[in-house]
Amino acid sequence: MANEVFDMTLEGIQDLQKELDERKGTISLEIAERLKEARSQGDLSENSEYDDAKEAQANNEFRIAEIEKILKNARVIDESEISNKEVTLGSKVLIKDVADGEEEEYVLVSAREEDIFSGKISNESPVGSAILGKKKGELVHVKTPMGTMDYKIIKIGRP
């Protein structure tokens, strides 16, 4: 079975590498210290601190493996692949809510890089999937739990 390729921005890959380094270093050391402290309390059978630390260790190791898999199979989106004419992965897009005229700017990224608070939306999100492949000036209809929203694509560029 072939490995899945993860298309990501260079910034997204760098962020994952930073998280991996932190998890392998600082976080692993903190968990090891928590385990050592919990073991020193004696009986482990009813030691919730030990159980919590073991769970944190398992979660950290799982996330490390997940990040390593992503990084191993990551493909950097080349800036030349980002169109100024059509919304693609990596595009910076200015959209306008047709109903209230409010404008919002997003960078369209993979689901693994999504960070709405930093203006990065996933190509799998309702807005992201609706604008993907669209051109400047086009209207898009986005189905949300609150109903259909209409947006106009104002500007498309590179981040």
Side-chain angles (χ1 to χ4, degrees), residues 89 95 106-111 113-116 118-129 131:
L89 208 56
I95 59 174
Y106 297 111
V107 175
L108 192 65
V109 297
S110 69
E113 297 178 74
E114 182 176 39
D115 182 359
I116 192 68
S118 297
K120 297 176 183 178
I121 61 168
S122 165
N123 61 325
E124 297 174 12
S125 70
V127 173
S129 63
I131 65 174

Side-chain angles (χ1 to χ4, degrees), residues 87-120:
V87 179
T88 61
L89 208 56
S91 292
K92 187 177 209 175
V93 184
L94 180 65
I95 59 174
K96 180 178 181 178
D97 186 327
V98 175
D100 65 15
E102 188 174 322
E103 293 183 351
E104 297 179 42
E105 189 170 61
Y106 297 111
V107 175
L108 192 65
V109 297
S110 69
R112 301 199 180 282
E113 297 178 74
E114 182 176 39
D115 182 359
I116 192 68
F117 300 111
S118 297
K120 297 176 183 178

Side-chain angles (χ1 to χ4, degrees), residues 6 8 10-22 63 66-68 70-71 74 112-113:
F6 303 104
M8 297 181 69
L10 179 59
E11 181 183 1
I13 290 172
Q14 291 170 337
D15 288 347
L16 277 180
Q17 186 61 55
K18 182 179 175 183
E19 180 184 351
L20 179 63
D21 293 344
E22 185 177 345
R63 181 64 178 149
E66 182 179 46
I67 293 170
E68 287 176 337
I70 293 167
L71 290 174
R112 301 199 180 282
E113 297 178 74

